[in-house]
Amino acid sequence: MNTWPVGMIGGAPGSFMGDVHRRALALTGRFSLVAGCLSRHAGTAQKAGQALGLDPARTYTDWTQMARVEAARPDGIALAIIVTPNDMHLPVAAAFLEAGIPVLCEKPLALTLDQARHFTERFITKGHDMVVAYTYSGYAMVREARRLVHDGTLGTIRNIQVEYLQDWLGDADSDGGWRLDPRTGGAGGCLGDIGTHAFHLAEFVSGLRCEVLSARVSRLVPRHAVPDDAQIQLRFSDNAVGSLWVSQVATGSGNALRLRLFGEKAGLEWNQEQPDTLIVSTADGRTTHIARGGSAVGTPSLLPRGHPEGYLEAFARLYADTAYLLDGHDAPLLPRLADGVRGQEFIEAALTSGTQYGAWVSVRA
């Protein structure tokens, strides 16, 4: 198998997402980090490159220069990984795509839906696409849940409940940095930061599209300039209904992402904090706990049953799929540019509904 050389933009050592991406890369054995523009500040970028053992000649202080130089090198990078603040996602991605270098980008895709749409029109027409890091679609048991729904284990889906709760912004003195600044993080706040994950998870597993929503969007900590909590009613295709609750001020919650689907035959539950298990329940009182790696599970695992797979392994599965894509194969479960645009459609619809006192708003397809 090929080992693909990659470069990273943003994500100097010590940044949460930069460190996560590098660990996930290492888990796959399919990538080698050889270049980077790890900070917009020249001194920090140079020190970060040195800390990661990068060649000084491939430690850049300007990402536009990095795109040009790497595209011209015979051993240039095969993938650009973008882990910058949200406002830089599209400008950086555009530079690398224009240079002919594939991109894997953190979410949300952009600051606004219009930005995302214009970007897509610009690059899709040229045959370019990119991977968007909706991490939770990489969990083995999330993919198994999708398979069970597709195979009809639950029957027709009637109700979809998803929530993503954190508490790290609940302290009145908490510092969310660029995420709480609408100029760098976007106007969506928690909707963009983690709500897009929950929304993507609901559609990814159910196979249904949310058509309209009604949102109550709040700033429960008054000093926050962007939403920190939202409760949203959802209506899906095929007459399914549901709700989504997202909060970064839910006291006592760590990374509490939970999905529940209820069909005519059975209900299903997956909890990110116990990610190796699916719970399937039926009306006759039977509850089945399905363990990752079991003989009846159709979705492959990275580790044997009993060896927990978590957040890093989910990221690694996205990277393994990306390597498969670079090898010239299809990777149908990998989140792509269209999924990034879909996240922006969700954010805009929720913000619009919130300003209209919960009016039902179309989630534009």
Side-chain angles (χ1 to χ4, degrees), residues 268-280:
L268 177 150
E269 179 175 345
W270 180 79
N271 185 335
Q272 194 274 153
E273 293 184 343
Q274 285 117 24
D276 277 353
T277 302
L278 285 179
I279 302 173
V280 177

Side-chain angles (χ1 to χ4, degrees), residues 157-236:
I157 301 300
R158 294 169 171 167
N159 196 307
I160 301 167
Q161 300 289 318
V162 60
E163 59 186 48
Y164 196 163
L165 309 180
Q166 299 175 338
D167 68 357
W168 70 287
L169 291 178
D171 190 318
D173 297 323
S174 60
D175 180 14
W178 60 263
R179 288 177 173 81
L180 292 181
D181 185 340
R183 296 169 300 179
T184 51
C190 68
L191 292 164
D193 198 27
I194 60 175
T196 50
H197 277 303
F199 185 77
H200 179 262
L201 183 68
E203 291 196 331
F204 178 80
V205 173
S206 71
L208 303 179
R209 301 275 285 185
C210 178
E211 297 179 337
V212 293
L213 60 76
S214 167
R216 191 277 299 141
V217 179
S218 303
R219 292 185 293 114
L220 297 182
V221 175
R223 72 177 185 86
H224 289 167
V226 292
D228 52 27
D229 187 280
Q231 296 188 10
I232 305 171
Q233 297 297 308
L234 310 170
R235 291 180 184 168
F236 293 86

Side-chain angles (χ1 to χ4, degrees), residues 47-334:
K47 290 179 182 177
Q50 184 178 22
L52 294 175
L54 300 183
D55 181 344
R58 302 180 80 173
T59 300
Y60 301 90
T61 57
D62 181 328
W63 45 268
T64 58
Q65 180 195 29
M66 177 179 169
R68 291 193 305 270
V69 172
E70 289 295 323
R73 290 180 65 113
D75 61 348
I77 60 173
L79 180 70
I81 300 164
I82 302 174
V83 288
T84 65
N86 299 344
D87 63 315
M88 297 303 296
H89 287 176
L90 292 191
V92 176
F96 283 90
L97 291 177
E98 288 282 15
I101 298 172
V103 168
L104 185 151
C105 185
E106 264 300 328
K107 40 55 48 204
L109 185 62
L111 294 186
T112 69
L113 176 57
D114 281 345
Q115 288 178 358
R117 287 191 182 281
H118 291 152
F119 179 87
T120 302
E121 290 168 2
R122 176 182 172 189
F123 287 102
I124 287 292
T125 56
K126 297 179 182 179
H128 294 294
D129 200 350
M130 57 192 280
V131 177
V132 179
Y134 282 115
T135 319
Y136 301 100
S137 63
Y139 276 91
M141 296 310 278
V142 165
R143 294 185 173 191
E144 178 68 6
R146 176 188 168 101
R147 187 186 71 81
L148 292 176
V149 170
H150 182 269
D151 289 351
T153 300
L154 276 63
T156 301
I157 301 300
R158 294 169 171 167
N159 196 307
I160 301 167
Q161 300 289 318
V162 60
E163 59 186 48
Y164 196 163
L165 309 180
Q166 299 175 338
D167 68 357
W168 70 287
L169 291 178
D171 190 318
D173 297 323
S174 60
D175 180 14
W178 60 263
R179 288 177 173 81
L180 292 181
D181 185 340
R183 296 169 300 179
T184 51
C190 68
L191 292 164
D193 198 27
I194 60 175
T196 50
H197 277 303
F199 185 77
H200 179 262
L201 183 68
E203 291 196 331
F204 178 80
V205 173
S206 71
L208 303 179
R209 301 275 285 185
C210 178
E211 297 179 337
V212 293
L213 60 76
S214 167
R216 191 277 299 141
V217 179
S218 303
R219 292 185 293 114
L220 297 182
V221 175
R223 72 177 185 86
H224 289 167
V226 292
D228 52 27
D229 187 280
Q231 296 188 10
I232 305 171
Q233 297 297 308
L234 310 170
R235 291 180 184 168
F236 293 86
S237 54
D238 291 357
N239 296 316
V241 299
S243 68
L244 185 155
W245 177 24
V246 57
S247 181
Q248 291 180 304
V249 295
T251 304
S253 300
N255 198 54
L257 173 60
R258 183 172 69 154
L259 174 70
R260 291 179 293 166
L261 286 81
F262 301 93
E264 60 180 344
K265 296 180 181 178
L268 177 150
E269 179 175 345
W270 180 79
N271 185 335
Q272 194 274 153
E273 293 184 343
Q274 285 117 24
D276 277 353
T277 302
L278 285 179
I279 302 173
V280 177
S281 302
T282 53
D284 61 6
R286 289 182 297 174
T287 298
T288 302
H289 291 249
I290 304 174
R292 180 194 52 76
S295 59
V297 175
T299 302
S301 295
L302 296 177
L303 298 171
R305 184 164 61 92
H307 297 74
E309 280 188 17
Y311 187 63
L312 291 179
E313 286 80 9
F315 251 113
R317 189 171 279 104
L318 293 189
Y319 271 110
D321 282 356
T322 301
Y324 200 63
L325 203 64
L326 293 173
D327 291 338
H329 306 293
D330 191 18
L333 299 185
L334 193 60

